[in-house]
Amino acid sequence: MYKLPSIKRISAFCIAVALIFGTIGITKPDNNVITKATPENSAYAEELEELSDRQKELEKKIEELQKQIEENKKKIEETKKKASVYDDDISALQDKIGALQEQIDLYNEAIAVIDADIAVIDNQIKGVENEIDSLNKQIDELDKQVVKIQQKIADTYTLLGERIRASYMSGASSSLEYLLTSDEFEFQSYLERVELIERIAEHDDTLIKDLEKEIDSLKAKVLEIEDMKTRLAGKIKELDEVKKEHEAKKKEQEDARQVILDAEAEIQKDLDKVMAVIHEFDKESKAYQAAIDKAEDAIMDYENKLAE
């Protein structure tokens, strides 16, 4: 409690007495003369009395403020005690949240691993799909070659027919007629022409057969590629099944994690409620402390006035 120091009190008292007695004349007893108080002496006495009253008033205000400070300090202590009641609850709730968070972290790690596995499978599926696209391009190219060869065979058949027709139209009505009417040179020429046509026909026939073999070879390649596509499609199906299994595991992990997240959210709500109460206590304590600070400033101001 702030009190005026005793030295100041004594000094003030001594000064007051000195001033009072300094203004009143006192003679020795044997002279039997006592100087009466003058109006000036009375004014000094009134001024000293007024200062004394002012001093008492300031001291009273200081004492009242000191009481307020002590009361506010007690209130702060009471508020702290009220807040401390929730310490165990806060600690327990925080421990629960911490434990749940550890489980959530474990689920997050497991889900991350599954996501990585799914990403690998997706890359594998993409690679197989690229292989199938490449095979489809090869098949398209082979189909184009088959169409070209088929066109070449058709052109050969057409050319062969034209040759036979031209030979027939330019020759005699029959070989017997041509044999009976032609001389030896013409007959020899006829035989040579027949032989040439037969050779050309034989050549065209061989060419057609070779082309047909080439077509068969291309078709065999197409079938081989189609078989490869079928195997790759089967591989994609297997990868899709594995991917579905991983996605199912991921769903299980996510559902389990969500249960914990919901539990954590509920506990967090309880913790928020408790922290809101603690916050109100803190506000009260700060308000009491602000009142203490204000009172201490006022006391300091009053003490400065007392010192003056």
Side-chain angles (χ1 to χ4, degrees), residues 249-304:
K249 291 180 181 178
K250 179 181 178 180
K251 183 67 167 54
E252 292 176 1
Q253 298 291 324
E254 288 177 338
D255 291 342
R257 180 183 63 179
Q258 189 59 48
V259 172
I260 296 177
L261 286 171
D262 293 339
E264 183 187 33
E266 290 299 321
I267 295 174
Q268 186 63 49
K269 287 181 181 178
D270 295 337
L271 181 59
D272 291 341
K273 291 178 181 178
V274 176
M275 295 307 295
V277 175
I278 298 298
H279 180 66
E280 290 300 319
F281 288 145
D282 288 340
K283 285 174 65 177
E284 290 180 13
S285 295
K286 289 178 180 179
Y288 294 143
Q289 187 60 50
I292 290 172
D293 295 339
K294 185 176 180 182
E296 288 178 345
D297 291 339
I299 289 174
M300 185 177 294
D301 183 55
Y302 290 149
E303 285 185 341
N304 290 332

Side-chain angles (χ1 to χ4, degrees), residues 1 5 12 16 50 66 71 117 137 147 184 192 222 228 231 249 289 303 307:
M1 181 179 295
E50 183 181 350
Q66 288 171 339
E71 289 176 0
D117 292 337
K137 290 179 181 179
V147 171
E184 183 178 354
E192 289 177 355
V222 170
M228 292 175 63
R231 290 198 300 272
K249 291 180 181 178
Q289 187 60 50
E303 285 185 341

Side-chain angles (χ1 to χ4, degrees), residues 100-114:
L100 292 176
Q101 188 58 51
E102 289 179 359
Q103 295 183 44
I104 292 171
D105 292 339
L106 291 175
Y107 281 117
N108 287 335
E109 291 175 2
I111 291 171
V113 171
I114 295 173

Side-chain angles (χ1 to χ4, degrees), residues 209-221:
K209 288 180 179 180
D210 291 340
L211 293 174
E212 288 176 346
K213 288 180 180 180
E214 189 173 351
I215 289 176
D216 292 338
S217 177
L218 293 174
K219 288 181 177 181
K221 288 182 179 180

Side-chain angles (χ1 to χ4, degrees), residues 10-172:
I10 294 170
S11 299
F13 179 76
C14 293
I15 292 170
V17 172
L19 289 173
I20 292 171
F21 285 97
T23 58
I24 299 174
I26 300 177
T27 62
K28 294 181 181 180
D30 53 357
N31 293 331
N32 294 321
V33 179
I34 298 175
T35 304
K36 295 182 179 180
T38 63
E40 288 81 2
N41 295 335
S42 178
Y44 281 121
E46 290 177 1
E47 184 178 354
L48 288 175
E49 186 178 355
E50 183 181 350
L51 289 173
S52 179
D53 292 340
R54 178 60 175 164
Q55 176 183 336
K56 290 178 181 179
E57 181 184 354
L58 291 173
E59 288 177 347
K60 185 179 180 180
K61 288 183 178 180
I62 289 174
E63 187 175 355
E64 290 175 354
L65 289 172
Q66 288 171 339
K67 289 180 180 180
Q68 292 179 13
I69 289 173
E70 292 301 322
E71 289 176 0
N72 285 328
K73 285 183 177 179
K74 289 179 181 179
K75 290 179 180 178
I76 289 175
E77 290 301 322
E78 291 174 359
T79 304
K80 288 182 178 178
K81 287 180 181 179
K82 291 179 182 178
S84 65
V85 173
Y86 295 92
D87 288 345
D88 292 339
D89 294 336
I90 293 173
S91 179
L93 291 172
Q94 288 175 339
D95 290 341
K96 288 181 180 179
I97 291 175
L100 292 176
Q101 188 58 51
E102 289 179 359
Q103 295 183 44
I104 292 171
D105 292 339
L106 291 175
Y107 281 117
N108 287 335
E109 291 175 2
I111 291 171
V113 171
I114 295 173
D115 284 336
D117 292 337
I118 291 175
V120 171
I121 294 172
D122 285 336
N123 288 332
Q124 291 176 349
I125 291 174
K126 187 175 181 180
V128 175
E129 288 175 345
N130 290 336
E131 290 184 38
I132 292 176
D133 290 340
S134 177
L135 293 176
N136 285 330
K137 290 179 181 179
Q138 293 181 38
I139 291 174
D140 291 340
E141 186 63 30
L142 292 174
D143 288 339
K144 290 178 182 178
Q145 293 182 26
V146 169
V147 171
K148 288 181 181 180
I149 294 173
Q150 287 175 339
Q151 185 62 44
K152 193 172 182 180
I153 291 174
D155 293 342
T156 302
Y157 274 121
T158 301
L159 182 60
L160 179 61
E162 290 177 353
R163 287 171 181 165
I164 294 173
R165 183 171 177 278
S167 175
Y168 176 78
M169 293 298 295
S170 61

